[in-house]
Amino acid sequence: MTVFVQSLLQQMQSRFQTMSDSIITKIDEMGNRVNELEQSINDLKAEMGVEGSPSPLAPSNQKLDEAKQEEGSA
């Protein structure tokens, strides 16, 4: 009976270790994919010349405000 329990515990420990290793591997892969995505976004921003410049929405909002002011003064 003792041998059976020890064997069962060893099997459970082995399975737990395998699952733990698998989870850690998946987390590492996900971290790498997030880093790659972040780098791709930064590359795209650099290609568009967005680094340090205002959001593309800001100029259009400014134009709308100017148009509203012109309508109000007319």
Side-chain angles (χ1 to χ4, degrees):
M1 181 72 168
T2 304
V3 173
F4 173 75
V5 171
Q6 286 178 342
S7 174
L8 186 61
L9 287 173
Q10 287 176 345
Q11 288 176 3
M12 289 174 61
Q13 183 178 7
S14 175
R15 289 180 183 170
F16 182 79
Q17 187 63 46
T18 301
M19 289 175 58
S20 178
D21 292 344
S22 175
I23 290 170
I24 290 170
T25 300
K26 295 288 184 185
I27 289 172
D28 288 343
E29 289 173 359
M30 193 178 343
N32 289 336
R33 291 176 71 185
V34 167
N35 290 340
E36 290 172 5
L37 180 60
E38 184 177 17
Q39 184 60 48
S40 294
I41 289 170
N42 289 334
D43 291 346
L44 287 171
K45 286 170 120 178
E47 281 181 31
M48 294 173 59
V50 174
E51 298 277 347
S53 62
S55 168
L57 296 178
S60 62
N61 287 343
Q62 185 179 7
K63 290 177 184 176
L64 287 174
D65 290 341
E66 289 173 1
K68 288 179 182 176
Q69 287 178 355
E70 288 177 7
E71 289 175 6
S73 63

